[in-house]
Amino acid sequence: MLRKNKYSFVQKKWAVKQYLNGNMSAVEIAKRLNMPKTERNQILAWVHQYQSNQVAFLSHARHNNHYSKELKERGVQEYLAGKISLPSLANKYGIRSYATIRKWISKYNSHIENQNYNPHPEVYMAKARKTTTQQERIQIVQYCLNHDKNYSEAAVKFNCSYQQVYSWTQKYLANGETGLTDNRGKHKQLEELTELDLANRRIKELERKLKEEQDKNEFLKKLNQLERMCLPDSQNTDKLQ
């Protein structure tokens, strides 16, 4: 997926030089760049990146990088062993932002397995397939589920868009194979619905609302975990400043 940088290469390079030459503190540089307080730690992150990988680390990243499952597990274990900081760990493995490693740690602490990630940026721009049979949709969804819900990989393999694979998978999980039936132009009018149809609609609406609430609670839970994990790093950064 294409990624937009909030700060340009020129701004990053200027910030690093000002800091390393002792001309300005990280706080002063952040103020000059109009950075909110929540992002001021980024100055020191750029400095760490520059010191480890020079200008390559400050260049614009157009796409997400590929990180293997083994690298993620190794990075998590090294950090949890307490022998290396997040910025140093990111520099060691050539990772642009230590926030990436923090996400891996959050998943590990939540007992969620870190998977191989090999981005296919072209699938996000791909056009949707105009026609597919129900059997084809079932095949695509089953492939996706058998490969840890890798929507982008399934989209590339079956020449369709990421959005299509995601939509079909969600419909399949909610209603099975019948959820993949093409019902375009076949919706019943309200007056044609039986009491059973209306009851089913109400049940599905309640299930949808329940799922939304569960997703919201899960998101808030993970957000709280991330915030707790950020505290030590913020304290360490304040000391460096």
Side-chain angles (χ1 to χ4, degrees), residues 35-100:
M35 298 176 74
K37 291 183 179 180
T38 55
E39 295 182 5
R40 290 180 181 177
N41 292 343
Q42 190 64 54
I43 302 295
L44 293 179
W46 294 342
V47 172
H48 284 301
Q49 291 170 353
Y50 182 83
Q51 289 173 326
S52 296
N53 293 277
Q54 300 298 318
V55 179
F57 258 88
L58 299 176
S59 62
H60 178 61
R62 288 187 58 81
H63 301 296
N64 294 326
N65 291 325
H66 171 214
Y67 303 115
S68 68
K69 177 180 177 180
E70 290 72 21
L71 185 147
K72 293 178 181 180
E73 291 180 348
R74 188 161 64 248
V76 169
Q77 294 304 324
E78 284 190 44
Y79 178 77
L80 294 179
K83 297 180 180 179
I84 189 169
S85 67
L86 283 176
S88 298
L89 193 59
N91 293 336
K92 177 179 179 179
Y93 291 110
I95 300 169
R96 291 181 179 276
S97 172
Y98 59 78
T100 300

Side-chain angles (χ1 to χ4, degrees), residues 179-220:
L180 298 178
T181 302
D182 188 352
N183 290 318
R184 288 175 294 181
K186 300 178 183 178
H187 294 292
K188 289 183 180 181
Q189 297 298 321
L190 186 61
E191 60 271 15
E192 296 177 320
L193 297 175
T194 65
E195 290 186 7
L196 179 59
D197 291 331
L198 292 171
N200 286 333
R201 280 196 176 187
R202 286 194 291 269
I203 291 172
K204 287 182 179 180
E205 178 64 16
L206 290 172
E207 289 176 342
R208 183 187 64 79
K209 290 182 178 179
L210 178 61
K211 180 66 165 56
E212 287 181 354
E213 188 65 26
Q214 290 173 338
D215 290 343
K216 178 182 178 181
N217 292 336
E218 184 63 24
F219 172 78
L220 292 174

